[in-house]
Amino acid sequence: MSLARKLTPSAMPDDVTPQMVKKIDKICAANRGKAGALIPVLQQVQEVVGYLPIAVQERIAEKLGVPGHDVYGVTTFYSFFSMKPRGRHVIRVCMGTACYVRGGKEVLERLERHLDVPVDTTTEDRRFTLEQVRCLGACGVAPVVVVDEDNHRKVMADKIVDLVEQYQ
Amino acid sequence: MAKLSISDLAQIKQRASSTFQLRSGQEPVDIKGHKHLLICGGTGCHAAGSQTVRDALRDEIAAKGLADRVSVVETGCNGFCAMGPVMVVYPEGTFYVNLETKHVPQLVQEHLIEGQPVEKLLFKDPKSKQFIPLMMEIPFFANQQLIALRNRGLIDAESIDEYIARDGYTGLAKALGEMTPDDIIEEVKTSGLRGRGGAGFPTGLKWQFCQKTPGQEKFVLCNADEGDPGAFMDRSILEADPHSVVEGMTIAAKAIGANAGYVYCRAEYPLAVNRLQLAIDQAREYGLLGQDILGTGFSFDLSIYQGAGAFVCGEETALMRSIEGKRGMPRPRPPFPAVAGLWNKPTVLNNVETWANVPQIITKGGAWYASIGTETSKGTKVFALTGHVNNIGLVEVPMGTPLKTIIYDIGGGMPKKHRKFKAVQLGGPSGGCVPAEHIDLPCDYEEIAKVGAIMGSGGMIVMDDSTCMVDMARFFMDFVQEESCGKCTPCREGTRRMLQILEKITEGNGEDGDIETLEELAEMIKESALCGLGQTGPNPVLSTLRYFRDEYEAHIYDKKCPAKGCAALLEFQVDPDKCKKCGLCAKNCPVQAITWQKKEVAVIHRDKCIECKTCLENCKFDAIY
């Protein structure tokens, strides 16, 4: 028996639509053979799908013509890539030093209690993903919380619940 | 647009000369009576709503029929983020802070039509409580000397013509038209410029190593992976003056013989990426990037590579691995990147602030730059002043400026009257804390290293006496541990072990011998880790142990946190002797766990208390323990 056992490909999760797969293939086709293309490809695919489940990674490996372990290795190395589905809204609490000393930690703790999930997870209804981020460079207006694309400045713990509740 | 020649640059500059006369406070005859409103469009001010204020201003100005003589210009980051949105009105130089759309009609009517500044929107000095109308009279700005940040708040960050009008691309024209590669390197060596990313390696020498390495293909890289928490000068430069980085890199490309370059930028900085991309596109259109730049026969092009969230990619060899599309893990040096860098080709890598200094050095000469600063550290340094300080923002001062000047004269001291200055953290996770006793320390590479910190990228986090130094050390160790790439054992396992001990101490379970174990581990990791991240990672622990050992001991032996920062070591009781019965604790408690009545000492009910410390933050009398 050959040592190189052919693995069956993982099943594509239901939330990855055929249109998305088509887009993935298109992104890969545009980058195949380009040196250093893997990270930009993963960034673009995550924008399309929202996350990078194993089946998507396998697809990228096949279409780019790179080993699957390289794709997995890079996906798990960088914090921007997620293998789990994310919420409709992503809350990112800055935990840079300036935000930390001005109350960022308390903001994060309040959110964990309010949403009833630990950091780096998604609420069951997939409304929110709670993340911490290492310094957004907006230290002048610390503590900073980013919800989706909106930067919120000087967010104190007692204001944070009202703030995130505006996002449905 | 046709490609520019060197003489075209002078013409663009000539065309815009009255604009910049106006913005330097003069009243040029051809645009007499005109006003320029420069509103900040950096990340901090955007978060504060500067874009809606900008639009409201434009609408109101148009509605009042002032559009022909009043223009609103969106600049990059002005550096005074905490007061945002900020705006400067030229030619007077009136500085407005905390603007909101509701202020716009009054501002237009009183200032632009009647000529009277709106007092309530001016900057109020936190010490004297006086309004200071003019930007250059505000101590925060008056005490700075700008080289890397020279265009901040003064030009439209998205206009290449405005950059050119401020002597932009003059250095490039000189480097390409009049200088040999050796001349360029000699000039940079004369300037004494050292790497602003942290390590402080002489820039000219680095270029020379790369120039001397034979190779057909070489690269110029910019490190914009500004990961040190609490540092934001690179973001600010890219948002406010992206062309200065493009120009600096192109000059180096000529010096070392490179034709391609990359800017590796954090994905956390979307605005910086957009502005830089725009700058690159504009430079290409003008023939300042691409083939045959300025008709001199030299070719160079640039692209942006976005990071994906890994602090270790700020380390040079890891950064190059990341551009190659791999896991961003460092490799041992030598060979150094100047010999074998990106794709194993000779490569020069400098950080954003370093690049922003280069055009000025070429334009004005290395000797001019070397006349600023100290014996070993030349020029200026940008510090990101944050934390417990009144004026938060970016501060550019000559090397050797005392800490005291930065924190008190520019920063305006501590914001809470009942709090005292305790320490300042320099250099982020690789640096250390400088305690109050060294407040007169001149800030240059060598002096900062002597007290156990590093210059680093220039993060300067001021901490008052409510900050627990053991918790601070734990915070940084948590950071280093999380960001350790896992390649070498000392960093991967050693930092984890150090973090566990620090967590144990802050949770009140510290034991005799913990401090010694921390010291032993720290020394071992410093000596044996593969890259700068691990080698410097224990510094925050060592420096807090050096100056605040008693705080560690109080945690371990007395089970007390002297700064009252560690919730596990607090009893959440009110000291009746210190309580002034003001009720602020009860009013601010988020879970109504405190009862209080007028003229009575407050009572904290532990069964309801969630230990969030809101009461401690609100108590002005240090009465909760």
Side-chain angles (χ1 to χ4, degrees):
Chain A
M1 200 182 95
S2 160
L3 280 173
R5 188 163 55 95
K6 174 88 178 114
L7 291 169
T8 38
S10 313
M12 202 55 91
D14 295 340
D15 56 354
V16 184
T17 61
Q19 286 91 332
M20 288 178 181
V21 176
K22 223 181 253 174
K23 277 191 192 162
I24 296 171
D25 291 354
K26 214 172 142 193
I27 292 166
C28 292
N31 286 283
R32 198 180 158 98
K34 261 195 218 168
L38 182 55
I39 293 173
V41 165
L42 291 172
Q43 280 164 340
Q44 289 168 43
V45 171
Q46 183 161 290
E47 250 171 55
V48 171
V49 184
Y51 69 118
L52 299 167
I54 278 289
V56 167
Q57 293 180 37
E58 287 172 0
R59 186 89 183 181
I60 293 170
E62 186 198 325
K63 296 289 169 186
L64 275 185
V66 297
H69 64 255
D70 279 358
V71 179
Y72 180 77
V74 168
T75 305
T76 50
F77 186 82
Y78 295 96
S79 65
F80 257 55
F81 300 131
S82 168
M83 287 177 58
K84 282 187 242 147
R86 310 218 296 171
R88 290 197 299 286
H89 304 290
V90 180
I91 306 170
R92 295 193 290 157
V93 181
C94 182
M95 290 295 266
T97 326
C99 288
Y100 186 81
V101 303
R102 288 178 86 101
K105 185 174 144 193
E106 284 74 21
V107 171
L108 185 65
E109 283 169 2
R110 191 67 65 90
L111 277 174
E112 285 181 319
R113 264 203 310 277
H114 176 70
L115 302 174
D116 199 21
V117 287
V119 68
D120 289 328
T121 49
T122 300
T123 54
E124 225 164 78
D125 58 3
R126 280 220 206 167
R127 182 174 166 199
F128 291 115
T129 296
L130 179 62
E131 292 180 349
Q132 57 175 333
V133 49
R134 301 295 193 183
C135 198
L136 293 157
C139 315
V141 291
V144 179
V145 175
V146 181
V147 187
D148 304 333
E149 306 282 302
D150 308 336
N151 282 307
H152 299 279
R153 59 181 208 143
K154 299 182 188 171
V155 181
M156 302 316 286
D158 48 354
K159 304 265 163 60
I160 187 65
V161 170
D162 290 345
L163 195 152
V164 300
E165 281 305 319
Q166 294 166 19
Y167 292 85
Q168 280 312 311
Chain B
M1 165 59 71
K3 309 277 184 225
L4 299 190
S5 67
I6 290 175
S7 59
D8 294 332
L9 285 177
Q11 275 180 20
I12 293 176
K13 201 176 151 184
Q14 186 54 36
R15 270 207 304 273
S17 67
S18 39
T19 293
F20 285 95
Q21 277 174 21
L22 185 124
R23 289 186 205 164
S24 65
Q26 301 163 33
E27 286 208 49
V29 276
D30 56 332
I31 49 171
K32 201 165 167 49
H34 281 227
K35 288 204 192 300
H36 286 186
L37 275 49
L38 283 94
I39 185 160
C40 178
T43 294
C45 285
H46 272 183
S50 69
Q51 286 159 305
T52 51
V53 175
R54 175 201 65 198
D55 295 341
L57 271 168
R58 284 189 178 143
D59 292 346
E60 183 74 12
I61 286 164
K64 298 277 181 196
L66 303 171
D68 54 337
R69 63 175 187 93
V70 180
S71 38
V72 180
V73 179
E74 184 173 359
T75 70
C77 181
N78 179 294
F80 205 28
C81 313
M83 289 285 160
V86 300
M87 183 175 81
V88 193
V89 180
Y90 287 108
E92 310 86 299
T94 313
F95 191 68
Y96 287 112
V97 297
N98 293 321
L99 288 178
E100 292 176 42
T101 44
K102 67 175 185 199
H103 300 136
V104 167
Q106 187 188 4
L107 196 138
V108 170
Q109 180 63 33
E110 291 182 15
H111 190 145
L112 301 180
I113 296 175
E114 294 162 20
Q116 276 301 320
V118 184
E119 192 177 71
K120 68 169 187 185
L121 300 174
L122 300 173
F123 174 75
K124 195 177 187 180
D125 187 64
K127 271 191 272 187
S128 66
K129 307 283 175 214
Q130 299 286 315
F131 287 107
I132 306 179
L134 300 182
M135 179 166 102
M136 287 324 291
E137 286 174 6
I138 296 171
F140 179 81
F141 291 106
N143 293 313
Q144 298 196 38
Q145 182 176 357
L146 305 182
I147 297 175
L149 303 179
R150 59 190 284 276
N151 282 331
R152 76 162 179 205
L154 206 58
I155 61 168
D156 177 347
E158 299 185 354
S159 159
I160 186 170
D161 284 8
E162 292 207 350
Y163 177 73
I164 292 171
R166 290 267 302 152
D167 292 330
Y169 291 107
T170 308
L172 179 68
K174 189 172 167 188
L176 297 188
E178 303 165 23
M179 297 168 86
T180 65
D182 288 334
D183 293 341
I184 299 172
I185 288 173
E186 216 37 61
E187 201 69 64
V188 177
K189 279 170 82 175
T190 308
S191 76
L193 177 66
R194 294 168 64 177
R196 298 293 191 245
F201 191 82
T203 305
L205 207 56
K206 191 190 267 188
W207 294 11
Q208 192 167 46
F209 288 147
C210 191
Q211 185 209 25
K212 291 211 167 127
T213 308
Q216 283 296 311
E217 201 178 12
K218 294 182 183 180
F219 293 101
V220 176
L221 305 184
C222 171
N223 188 344
D225 192 45
E226 185 174 51
D228 275 8
F232 53 100
M233 57 285 291
D234 294 350
R235 171 186 70 70
S236 171
I237 291 170
L238 289 174
E239 286 176 8
D241 202 15
H243 285 286
S244 65
V245 176
V246 174
E247 185 182 355
M249 291 179 75
T250 314
I251 291 169
K254 162 81 176 181
I256 66 160
N259 303 113
Y262 291 94
V263 179
Y264 187 94
C265 188
R266 301 177 80 198
E268 287 91 335
Y269 288 177
L271 186 62
V273 170
N274 288 346
R275 293 243 169 95
L276 180 65
Q277 187 60 56
L278 191 68
I280 291 173
D281 295 343
Q282 290 171 339
R284 273 191 201 130
E285 209 174 293
Y286 272 8
L288 297 165
L289 280 176
Q291 299 293 318
D292 191 20
I293 295 171
L294 288 168
T296 60
F298 177 70
S299 302
F300 176 70
D301 211 345
L302 257 184
S303 28
I304 302 177
Y305 197 94
Q306 276 195 56
F311 176 73
V312 72
C313 287
E315 197 278 344
E316 57 180 12
T317 61
L319 183 148
M320 291 168 200
R321 301 276 297 179
S322 185
I323 296 181
E324 292 167 7
K326 300 176 186 139
R327 288 166 72 93
M329 297 206 283
R331 63 158 177 81
R333 298 173 301 181
F336 286 92
V339 176
L342 183 62
W343 287 301
N344 273 327
K345 309 284 184 203
T347 303
V348 156
L349 171 84
N350 283 118
N351 101 317
V352 173
E353 190 188 334
T354 316
W355 287 126
N357 277 296
V358 170
Q360 290 292 298
I361 288 171
I362 299 299
T363 306
K364 296 189 178 174
W368 159 79
Y369 195 82
S371 70
I372 305 160
T374 64
E375 188 57 38
T376 55
S377 308
K378 302 298 185 192
T380 55
K381 175 78 192 97
V382 182
F383 292 99
L385 187 63
T386 63
H388 299 135
V389 62
N390 269 315
N391 302 331
I392 289 174
L394 287 181
V395 174
E396 184 170 1
V397 286
M399 289 278 189
T401 302
L403 266 181
K404 196 177 184 174
T405 308
I406 301 175
I407 296 171
Y408 286 93
D409 298 344
I410 297 174
M414 309 292 109
K416 287 187 181 167
K417 272 197 194 123
H418 63 290
R419 293 287 176 202
K420 279 205 291 284
F421 171 64
K422 183 169 185 176
V424 55
Q425 213 281 343
L426 297 176
S430 305
C433 292
V434 180
E437 67 204 69
H438 289 306
I439 188 76
D440 292 314
L441 184 83
C443 291
D444 76 7
Y445 289 99
E446 278 68 28
E447 294 295 323
I448 292 177
K450 269 188 215 159
V451 299
I454 62 163
M455 174 80 81
S457 52
M460 189 178 269
I461 295 139
V462 181
M463 293 175 282
D464 66 23
D465 56 4
S466 69
T467 315
C468 168
M469 300 318 264
V470 186
D471 186 55
M472 216 49 221
R474 188 206 58 78
F475 168 82
F476 282 115
M477 195 47 72
D478 182 51
F479 182 93
V480 171
Q481 210 288 310
E482 175 98 13
E483 298 295 343
S484 171
C485 78
K487 184 169 175 175
C488 75
T489 318
C491 179
R492 184 185 64 237
E493 303 298 331
T495 58
R496 179 174 296 269
R497 185 75 193 109
M498 285 183 76
L499 176 64
Q500 284 166 347
I501 296 172
L502 290 164
E503 280 174 347
K504 201 175 78 173
I505 297 174
T506 53
E507 281 159 13
N509 301 317
E511 295 167 83
D512 192 24
D514 279 349
I515 293 178
E516 290 71 21
T517 313
L518 279 176
E519 285 173 328
E520 195 187 340
L521 280 165
E523 290 305 331
M524 216 180 288
I525 298 167
K526 276 180 78 125
E527 277 171 30
S528 54
L530 173 63
C531 81
L533 175 73
Q535 287 159 9
T536 59
N539 283 351
V541 177
L542 288 174
S543 88
T544 46
L545 271 172
R546 175 169 166 183
Y547 296 110
F548 302 98
R549 200 182 184 95
D550 53 335
E551 268 188 52
Y552 281 81
E553 288 166 353
H555 281 73
I556 295 171
Y557 301 108
D558 309 334
K559 307 294 174 203
K560 290 257 185 283
C561 176
K564 299 184 180 177
C566 301
L569 295 170
L570 291 170
E571 291 176 29
F572 291 96
Q573 302 279 353
V574 181
D575 183 343
D577 298 334
K578 286 186 180 169
C579 179
K580 297 272 192 265
K581 303 164 188 174
C582 69
L584 271 179
C585 56
K587 282 174 200 153
N588 285 292
C589 178
V591 291
Q592 287 82 43
I594 307 179
T595 48
W596 165 81
Q597 282 176 341
K598 264 189 185 167
K599 296 184 184 170
E600 279 187 31
V601 172
V603 180
I604 302 176
H605 300 280
R606 290 305 309 272
D607 51 333
K608 286 189 193 163
C609 175
I610 54 168
E611 301 189 347
C612 68
K613 296 198 299 175
T614 305
C615 50
L616 277 104
E617 277 150 30
N618 282 287
C619 180
K620 291 196 170 87
F621 311 104
D622 206 22
I624 299 166
Y625 62 93

